[in-house]
Amino acid sequence: SAVISQKPSRDICQRGTSLTIQCQVDSQVTMMFWYRQQPGQSLTLIATANQGSEATYESGFVIDKFPISRPNLTFSTLTVSNMSPEDSSIYLCSVTRGGEQFFGPGTRLTVL
Amino acid sequence: GDSVTQMEGPVTLSEEAFLTINCTYTATGYPSLFWYVQYPGEGLQLLLKATKADDKGSNKGFEATYRKETTSFHLEKGSVQVSDSAVYFCALSDLITASKLTFGTGTRLQVTL
Protein backbone atom coordinates (compact mmCIF):
# COMPACT_ATOMS: atom_id res chain seq x y z
CA SER A 1 0.00 0.00 0.00
CA ALA A 2 0.96 3.66 0.04
CA VAL A 3 0.44 6.20 2.80
CA ILE A 4 -0.26 9.66 1.45
CA SER A 5 -0.71 12.83 3.44
CA GLN A 6 -1.91 16.21 2.24
CA LYS A 7 -1.71 19.67 3.72
CA PRO A 8 -3.82 21.57 4.39
CA SER A 9 -6.81 19.31 4.93
CA ARG A 10 -9.12 22.23 4.27
CA ASP A 11 -8.98 25.97 3.72
CA ILE A 12 -11.24 28.90 3.06
CA CYS A 13 -9.70 31.47 0.73
CA GLN A 14 -10.59 34.80 -0.76
CA ARG A 15 -11.15 35.33 -4.44
CA GLY A 16 -7.97 36.31 -6.31
CA THR A 17 -5.55 34.66 -3.91
CA SER A 18 -3.51 31.46 -4.38
CA LEU A 19 -3.20 28.31 -2.32
CA THR A 20 -0.47 25.70 -2.43
CA ILE A 21 -1.39 22.14 -1.51
CA GLN A 22 1.30 19.71 -0.42
CA CYS A 23 1.34 15.96 -0.98
CA GLN A 24 3.77 13.62 0.78
CA VAL A 25 4.13 9.89 0.08
CA ASP A 26 5.69 7.37 2.45
CA SER A 27 8.15 6.06 -0.16
CA GLN A 28 9.45 6.89 -3.60
CA VAL A 29 7.13 6.82 -6.60
CA THR A 30 7.70 7.72 -10.22
CA MET A 31 4.42 9.41 -11.01
CA MET A 32 2.10 11.46 -8.85
CA PHE A 33 -1.32 12.58 -9.97
CA TRP A 34 -3.50 15.52 -9.02
CA TYR A 35 -7.29 15.25 -9.24
CA ARG A 36 -10.14 17.63 -8.60
CA GLN A 37 -13.54 16.62 -7.24
CA GLN A 38 -16.04 19.41 -7.63
CA PRO A 39 -19.09 19.42 -5.36
CA GLY A 40 -21.40 16.52 -6.20
CA GLN A 41 -19.25 15.47 -9.14
CA SER A 42 -16.69 12.86 -9.97
CA LEU A 43 -12.93 13.08 -9.96
CA THR A 44 -11.17 14.74 -12.86
CA LEU A 45 -7.47 14.40 -13.50
CA ILE A 46 -5.70 17.76 -13.54
CA ALA A 47 -2.15 16.69 -14.29
CA THR A 48 0.52 14.03 -13.92
CA ALA A 49 3.71 15.02 -12.15
CA ASN A 50 7.00 13.26 -12.87
CA GLN A 51 10.14 14.06 -10.94
CA GLY A 52 12.62 16.06 -12.97
CA SER A 53 10.28 17.10 -15.74
CA GLU A 54 7.35 19.40 -16.29
CA ALA A 55 3.93 18.16 -15.35
CA THR A 56 1.61 16.92 -18.06
CA TYR A 57 -1.76 18.67 -17.98
CA GLU A 58 -5.10 17.31 -19.08
CA SER A 59 -7.37 19.12 -21.47
CA GLY A 60 -8.95 22.10 -19.79
CA PHE A 61 -6.17 22.61 -17.24
CA VAL A 62 -3.19 24.92 -17.71
CA ILE A 63 0.08 25.45 -15.93
CA ASP A 64 -0.55 29.12 -15.22
CA LYS A 65 -3.67 28.25 -13.24
CA PHE A 66 -2.40 25.04 -11.62
CA PRO A 67 1.40 25.13 -11.36
CA ILE A 68 2.86 21.91 -10.01
CA SER A 69 6.21 21.16 -8.46
CA ARG A 70 7.83 17.75 -8.05
CA PRO A 71 11.17 18.34 -6.34
CA ASN A 72 11.76 14.70 -5.37
CA LEU A 73 10.24 11.24 -5.57
CA THR A 74 8.11 11.54 -2.41
CA PHE A 75 6.71 15.05 -2.61
CA SER A 76 4.66 17.29 -4.87
CA THR A 77 2.76 20.55 -4.62
CA LEU A 78 -0.22 21.87 -6.54
CA THR A 79 -0.96 25.59 -6.51
CA VAL A 80 -4.42 26.89 -7.31
CA SER A 81 -3.77 30.40 -8.61
CA ASN A 82 -5.95 33.49 -8.79
CA MET A 83 -8.81 31.59 -7.24
CA SER A 84 -12.49 32.08 -7.99
CA PRO A 85 -15.52 30.44 -6.37
CA GLU A 86 -15.56 27.93 -9.24
CA ASP A 87 -12.30 26.52 -7.86
CA SER A 88 -14.09 25.35 -4.73
CA SER A 89 -13.43 21.61 -4.79
CA ILE A 90 -11.65 18.77 -3.11
CA TYR A 91 -8.14 18.36 -4.50
CA LEU A 92 -6.57 14.92 -4.23
CA CYS A 93 -3.16 13.58 -5.01
CA SER A 94 -2.59 9.96 -5.85
CA VAL A 95 0.20 7.54 -6.67
CA THR A 96 0.46 4.16 -8.32
CA ARG A 97 2.10 1.24 -6.61
CA GLY A 98 1.89 -2.42 -7.52
CA GLY A 99 -0.69 -1.72 -10.20
CA GLU A 100 -3.03 -0.01 -7.77
CA GLN A 101 -3.71 3.68 -7.41
CA PHE A 102 -3.79 5.13 -3.89
CA PHE A 103 -5.32 8.45 -2.96
CA GLY A 104 -4.56 11.02 -0.35
CA PRO A 105 -7.28 12.25 2.04
CA GLY A 106 -7.88 15.35 -0.05
CA THR A 107 -7.79 19.09 0.53
CA ARG A 108 -11.21 20.72 0.74
CA LEU A 109 -10.97 24.22 -0.70
CA THR A 110 -13.69 26.84 -0.40
CA VAL A 111 -13.27 30.10 -2.27
CA LEU A 112 -15.40 33.04 -1.17
CA GLY B 1 -11.98 9.61 -25.47
CA ASP B 2 -12.53 7.20 -22.64
CA SER B 3 -15.64 7.57 -20.52
CA VAL B 4 -17.49 5.83 -17.70
CA THR B 5 -21.23 5.98 -17.11
CA GLN B 6 -22.76 4.98 -13.79
CA MET B 7 -26.32 4.87 -12.61
CA GLU B 8 -27.31 7.98 -10.78
CA GLY B 9 -28.02 7.95 -7.11
CA PRO B 10 -28.82 8.16 -4.45
CA VAL B 11 -29.66 4.52 -3.98
CA THR B 12 -31.51 3.77 -0.75
CA LEU B 13 -31.80 0.17 0.42
CA SER B 14 -32.80 -1.63 3.55
CA GLU B 15 -30.20 -3.72 5.32
CA GLU B 16 -29.76 -7.20 3.79
CA ALA B 17 -31.16 -6.09 0.43
CA PHE B 18 -29.45 -6.95 -2.84
CA LEU B 19 -27.38 -4.20 -4.43
CA THR B 20 -26.60 -3.54 -8.07
CA ILE B 21 -24.88 -0.38 -9.27
CA ASN B 22 -24.60 -0.29 -13.04
CA CYS B 23 -21.44 0.84 -14.79
CA THR B 24 -20.69 0.90 -18.50
CA TYR B 25 -17.61 2.23 -20.22
CA THR B 26 -16.27 3.43 -23.54
CA ALA B 27 -12.61 2.92 -24.26
CA THR B 28 -10.23 2.02 -27.02
CA GLY B 29 -8.43 -1.23 -26.43
CA TYR B 30 -8.84 -3.23 -23.27
CA PRO B 31 -8.86 -1.10 -20.14
CA SER B 32 -8.55 -2.22 -16.56
CA LEU B 33 -11.71 -1.58 -14.56
CA PHE B 34 -12.09 -0.53 -10.95
CA TRP B 35 -14.60 0.21 -8.26
CA TYR B 36 -13.57 2.77 -5.65
CA VAL B 37 -15.46 3.59 -2.46
CA GLN B 38 -15.52 6.80 -0.46
CA TYR B 39 -16.92 6.39 3.03
CA PRO B 40 -18.23 9.50 4.80
CA GLY B 41 -15.35 11.70 5.87
CA GLU B 42 -12.73 9.39 4.43
CA GLY B 43 -10.52 9.22 1.36
CA LEU B 44 -11.03 7.21 -1.78
CA GLN B 45 -10.22 3.51 -1.47
CA LEU B 46 -9.94 0.78 -4.05
CA LEU B 47 -12.75 -1.73 -3.54
CA LEU B 48 -12.04 -4.18 -6.35
CA LYS B 49 -10.62 -4.41 -9.83
CA ALA B 50 -10.51 -6.54 -12.97
CA THR B 51 -7.85 -6.35 -15.63
CA LYS B 52 -9.22 -8.46 -18.48
CA ALA B 53 -12.44 -9.73 -19.95
CA ASP B 54 -14.42 -12.20 -17.83
CA ASP B 55 -12.32 -11.43 -14.76
CA LYS B 56 -14.34 -11.11 -11.58
CA GLY B 57 -13.13 -8.73 -8.91
CA SER B 58 -14.36 -9.28 -5.37
CA ASN B 59 -13.84 -7.79 -1.93
CA LYS B 60 -15.88 -7.40 1.26
CA GLY B 61 -18.80 -9.29 -0.30
CA PHE B 62 -18.88 -7.02 -3.36
CA GLU B 63 -18.37 -8.45 -6.83
CA ALA B 64 -18.07 -7.12 -10.37
CA THR B 65 -17.42 -8.99 -13.61
CA TYR B 66 -15.61 -7.45 -16.58
CA ARG B 67 -18.01 -7.93 -19.51
CA LYS B 68 -16.32 -6.97 -22.74
CA GLU B 69 -19.31 -7.83 -24.92
CA THR B 70 -21.55 -5.39 -23.06
CA THR B 71 -18.73 -3.03 -21.96
CA SER B 72 -20.00 -3.23 -18.42
CA PHE B 73 -18.65 -3.69 -14.90
CA HIS B 74 -21.70 -3.71 -12.63
CA LEU B 75 -21.15 -3.78 -8.88
CA GLU B 76 -23.20 -6.27 -6.84
CA LYS B 77 -23.56 -7.33 -3.25
CA GLY B 78 -25.98 -9.95 -2.03
CA SER B 79 -26.77 -8.43 1.35
CA VAL B 80 -25.84 -4.86 2.16
CA GLN B 81 -25.13 -3.51 5.62
CA VAL B 82 -25.51 -0.06 7.09
CA SER B 83 -21.72 0.18 7.09
CA ASP B 84 -21.75 -0.05 3.27
CA SER B 85 -23.27 3.43 3.07
CA ALA B 86 -20.81 5.37 0.94
CA VAL B 87 -20.24 6.79 -2.52
CA TYR B 88 -19.11 4.25 -5.11
CA PHE B 89 -17.10 5.23 -8.18
CA CYS B 90 -16.53 3.11 -11.26
CA ALA B 91 -13.29 3.87 -13.10
CA LEU B 92 -11.07 2.66 -15.88
CA SER B 93 -7.44 3.00 -16.81
CA ASP B 94 -6.30 2.39 -20.33
CA LEU B 95 -3.15 0.57 -21.30
CA ILE B 96 -1.56 3.50 -23.06
CA THR B 97 -1.62 6.00 -20.23
CA ALA B 98 -1.31 3.24 -17.66
CA SER B 99 -2.21 4.84 -14.40
CA LYS B 100 -4.49 7.64 -15.54
CA LEU B 101 -7.97 6.91 -14.22
CA THR B 102 -11.23 8.02 -15.79
CA PHE B 103 -14.04 8.06 -13.23
CA GLY B 104 -17.79 7.82 -13.40
CA THR B 105 -19.89 10.37 -11.58
CA GLY B 106 -20.27 8.26 -8.46
CA THR B 107 -23.34 6.65 -6.89
CA ARG B 108 -24.30 7.39 -3.33
CA LEU B 109 -25.62 4.35 -1.43
CA GLN B 110 -27.62 4.78 1.75
CA VAL B 111 -28.46 1.64 3.69
CA THR B 112 -31.07 1.87 6.43
CA LEU B 113 -32.08 -0.50 9.21
Side-chain angles (χ1 to χ4, degrees):
Chain A
S1 68
V3 178
I4 304 171
S5 60
Q6 287 185 232
K7 290 182 184 179
S9 58
R10 59 177 62 225
D11 207 342
I12 301 173
C13 300
Q14 295 298 318
R15 182 195 300 259
T17 62
S18 298
L19 176 72
T20 295
I21 302 167
Q22 299 178 8
C23 178
Q24 179 76 51
V25 189
D26 62 339
S27 60
Q28 295 181 349
V29 291
T30 303
M31 289 191 290
M32 296 178 76
F33 305 88
W34 286 98
Y35 287 83
R36 179 175 73 180
Q37 186 178 17
Q38 292 178 300
Q41 298 189 30
S42 187
L43 286 81
T44 303
L45 181 65
I46 298 172
T48 302
N50 290 323
Q51 196 266 337
S53 63
E54 277 200 7
T56 302
Y57 289 82
E58 297 299 307
S59 176
F61 298 96
V62 295
I63 189 171
D64 290 347
K65 175 67 175 177
F66 297 101
I68 288 171
S69 78
R70 183 78 201 276
N72 58 54
L73 291 173
T74 63
F75 187 79
S76 177
T77 68
L78 170 76
T79 298
V80 186
S81 303
N82 188 25
M83 288 184 285
S84 67
E86 292 70 36
D87 294 320
S88 297
S89 294
I90 299 173
Y91 292 85
L92 302 102
C93 69
S94 74
V95 304
T96 299
R97 181 169 294 156
E100 182 176 333
Q101 193 155 128
F102 298 90
F103 288 82
T107 295
R108 183 179 295 272
L109 170 62
T110 302
V111 184
L112 302 177
Chain B
D2 296 346
S3 67
V4 176
T5 303
Q6 303 183 220
M7 64 185 288
E8 291 193 17
V11 173
T12 303
L13 295 173
S14 299
E15 201 169 45
E16 299 184 1
F18 184 86
L19 168 71
T20 300
I21 300 178
N22 291 336
C23 171
T24 57
Y25 66 90
T26 302
T28 53
Y30 304 98
S32 294
L33 302 173
F34 308 84
W35 277 100
Y36 282 83
V37 59
Q38 190 172 36
Y39 296 103
E42 298 185 19
L44 208 61
Q45 304 172 26
L46 178 66
L47 179 61
L48 54 85
K49 68 178 182 181
T51 58
K52 61 183 187 297
D54 300 325
D55 266 3
K56 178 185 285 188
S58 61
N59 186 25
K60 299 182 181 180
F62 291 89
E63 293 183 340
T65 301
Y66 190 142
R67 300 287 188 199
K68 178 170 169 288
E69 62 277 11
T70 55
T71 62
S72 65
F73 193 55
H74 304 322
L75 182 68
E76 296 182 335
K77 186 174 185 181
S79 176
V80 293
Q81 306 299 311
V82 172
S83 57
D84 294 325
S85 298
V87 181
Y88 293 82
F89 293 92
C90 186
L92 68 82
S93 76
D94 66 53
L95 293 179
I96 296 174
T97 54
S99 300
K100 174 188 170 183
L101 288 172
T102 300
F103 285 87
T105 53
T107 302
R108 181 175 298 277
L109 170 66
Q110 182 70 45
V111 181
T112 59
L113 290 171

